[in-house]
Amino acid sequence: MTDFKHIALVANIQLPEIVDSLKRLITFLTESGYQVLLEQKTAELVGDSQLPVFDSDSLETSVDLIIVVGGDGSMLSAVRSLVRYDIPLLGVNRGRLGFLTDILPDEMESQMKRVLAGEFILSSRFLLDVSISRKGTVIGTGAALNDVVLHPGKSVRMMEFELYIDGQFVYSQCSDGLIVSTPTGSTAYALSGGGPIMHPNLDAIVLVPMNPHTLSSRPIVVGGKSDIEIRVGSRNELHPLVTCDGQTDLQSEPGDIIQIHKKARQVQLIHPVAHNFYETCRTKLGWGSRLGIDERTSDRINRLVN
């Protein structure tokens, strides 16, 4: 796992800061003796590069590591398209939050050197598979690392649907929709909808109702192996959308059945050795830090209290 000889670079957003980081990264890797390959759009961003463009058909046998340069959106897109390969992914953060992309631009070379030397944490993350069936025929499929969201699209009207988990009826609901999130996605859209933050290591799925027309409807956390089924109300006048990771849309109609379950293959994300989930939450979400009490002062307080 630590023998990274062939490294593929992926970036799909044409921003000056991303192109600059790409060129710096290419220089660092090639001068360090690594074989660098580029994804097609990434090669176009770099411009006059003599580096080879990798072929997706032979990717699993020709690449040891994939580095994604961009924000969490870039990583989400890369994970969905590359999860079928057993290749770990590492992110260089050129976006905003950076829950999935850990390498800092100002420390890129030094952090990258440590990771490539084997100083890293490997994290397994599962995705969700979703399919939409209409009159017994599957009419659309998708996958998501963060979340699958049923919503009315551009309409502001509520929709009706029924929720089943492992074949058991849970409830019928009138709301703006439902967020079905992995632990990875619990700090994304599900969080803004009032859902709980889940540690990435949990084998669980959270279902967060969006503005339900009842005060008693609350987020539900279920096991990661649960089969989730949403039946779109046949009386709906809307044609709700099913959106994966906020990036790809599937159109549904009244009477459709939406099925969601854990994807069989997981993705391996690489983090720097100092990565700490709770520190990331403190930094990205603005949580309070320590009060600055050292151990000696803490011991004195404990003696006085006791």
Side-chain angles (χ1 to χ4, degrees):
M1 181 60 68
T2 59
D3 192 17
F4 301 129
K5 294 181 179 179
H6 302 85
I7 301 175
L9 303 185
V10 175
N12 57 12
I13 301 178
Q14 192 169 359
L15 294 175
E17 57 269 26
I18 291 179
V19 176
D20 175 67
S21 293
L22 271 173
K23 292 182 177 180
R24 280 177 51 198
L25 188 55
I26 289 171
T27 299
F28 168 76
L29 292 174
T30 53
E31 291 181 351
S32 300
Y34 295 97
Q35 174 70 46
V36 178
L37 300 88
L38 302 178
E39 182 266 340
Q40 180 61 52
K41 290 183 179 179
T42 308
E44 295 172 3
L45 288 178
V46 173
D48 295 331
S49 173
Q50 302 301 316
L51 296 175
V53 175
F54 64 75
D55 180 1
S56 59
D57 293 334
S58 61
L59 187 62
E60 195 162 12
T61 58
S62 62
V63 172
D64 307 310
L65 172 68
I66 298 172
I67 300 177
V68 180
V69 182
D72 284 349
S74 298
M75 179 63 83
L76 290 171
S77 178
V79 166
R80 291 197 309 274
S81 62
L82 299 171
V83 65
R84 63 185 184 273
Y85 306 110
D86 189 23
I87 304 173
L89 277 72
L90 171 66
V92 175
N93 184 20
R94 294 302 334 212
R96 291 175 295 176
L97 282 177
F99 272 97
L100 300 174
T101 50
D102 300 311
I103 300 293
L104 302 176
D106 294 340
E107 304 173 6
M108 184 170 64
E109 288 83 358
S110 59
Q111 288 187 316
M112 195 67 66
K113 184 177 181 179
R114 295 185 64 185
V115 168
L116 295 176
E119 299 180 37
F120 60 82
I121 298 171
L122 193 63
S123 175
S124 296
R125 307 291 182 94
F126 71 83
L127 288 77
L128 297 174
D129 271 333
V130 58
S131 65
I132 301 179
S133 298
R134 185 172 302 154
K135 297 179 180 180
T137 302
V138 175
I139 55 94
T141 61
L145 175 62
N146 268 356
D147 46 48
V148 175
V149 182
L150 174 69
H151 62 100
K154 296 181 179 179
S155 174
V156 294
R157 301 179 63 180
M158 286 188 172
M159 71 180 75
E160 293 183 358
F161 61 88
E162 292 182 346
L163 174 66
Y164 293 78
I165 298 176
D166 293 329
Q168 297 182 347
F169 175 68
V170 180
Y171 56 58
S172 60
Q173 187 176 102
C174 183
S175 69
D176 288 341
L178 185 69
I179 303 169
V180 182
S181 172
T182 67
T184 300
S186 69
T187 52
Y189 195 17
L191 179 61
S192 66
I197 293 177
M198 299 192 293
H199 193 280
N201 290 343
L202 284 175
D203 184 18
I205 299 170
V206 64
L207 299 93
V208 182
M210 299 166 62
N211 301 319
H213 203 219
T214 170
L215 295 177
S216 60
S217 186
R218 292 290 183 266
I220 301 175
V221 179
V222 299
K225 296 181 177 62
S226 300
D227 288 318
I228 299 165
E229 182 176 296
I230 304 169
R231 300 182 183 178
V232 182
S234 58
R235 295 184 299 173
N236 280 337
E237 296 180 7
L238 299 172
H239 293 246
L241 290 177
V242 177
T243 300
C244 300
D245 286 340
Q247 296 179 336
T248 60
D249 295 326
L250 303 172
Q251 185 80 58
S252 72
E253 292 184 359
D256 285 354
I257 296 177
I258 302 163
Q259 294 179 310
I260 303 169
H261 60 268
K262 181 197 291 187
K263 195 175 189 69
R265 175 167 285 193
Q266 298 191 358
V267 66
Q268 306 294 321
L269 299 183
I270 286 181
H271 305 284
V273 71
H275 174 77
N276 181 304
F277 174 71
Y278 305 110
E279 181 181 0
T280 301
C281 288
R282 285 197 304 273
T283 303
K284 308 299 182 181
L285 302 179
W287 289 358
S289 57
R290 294 180 180 177
L291 297 177
I293 301 176
D294 59 27
E295 293 183 4
R296 181 178 300 177
T297 303
S298 179
D299 290 340
R300 291 176 60 189
I301 292 175
N302 288 333
R303 285 198 297 271
L304 290 172
V305 172
N306 296 326

